[in-house]
Amino acid sequence: MTNKKLISVRKAKKMTQADIAIYLKISQPQYFKREKGQMKITDTEWSSIAKLLQVSVEDIYEPFAGQISLHNQLSLEIDSLKEKLKMFAEKE
């Protein structure tokens, strides 16, 4: 899930991904992954980015969807395993 609020504010402030990456002391590809929602932006990074962009964290923050998806995926896998165990137990 793309961090649309962050991208919008960054572009409005005429800053590039490279500008923010340099400020965070990470590579531009690493920042790109964060902005595109492929990697989590830490609380410290949210604060730093907000400071650089001169906005509040609330103006740019969006929750990390990757964790929710992983949680949902694990829940589905656990449910599937429970069903398999139930079927196995019924055969015996």
Side-chain angles (χ1 to χ4, degrees):
M1 180 174 154
T2 303
N3 290 298
K4 293 176 184 174
K5 289 170 41 176
L6 171 57
I7 293 167
S8 176
V9 171
R10 175 180 58 78
K11 288 180 177 181
K13 299 284 184 170
K14 304 205 183 306
M15 298 202 76
T16 66
Q17 291 179 344
D19 293 332
I20 296 179
I22 290 167
Y23 186 76
L24 295 176
K25 298 179 180 157
I26 60 174
S27 69
Q28 185 275 330
Q30 287 176 324
Y31 177 75
F32 171 82
K33 288 179 181 180
R34 286 165 170 80
E35 197 173 83
K36 292 299 178 188
Q38 297 170 353
M39 286 181 67
K40 182 179 181 183
I41 299 174
T42 67
D43 291 343
T44 303
E45 289 171 335
W46 280 117
S47 296
S48 296
I49 295 167
K51 181 178 178 181
L52 177 64
L53 297 174
Q54 298 177 330
V55 296
S56 70
V57 172
E58 292 76 26
D59 290 336
I60 58 172
Y61 176 79
E62 293 182 64
F64 181 57
Q67 289 180 327
I68 296 166
S69 298
L70 179 60
H71 175 73
N72 290 344
Q73 181 181 357
L74 289 174
S75 293
L76 291 173
E77 289 178 22
I78 289 169
D79 289 344
S80 174
L81 288 172
K82 285 179 182 177
E83 285 298 316
K84 288 177 183 176
L85 284 172
K86 184 179 175 183
M87 289 188 325
F88 180 76
E90 289 173 355
K91 288 182 181 179
E92 292 187 350

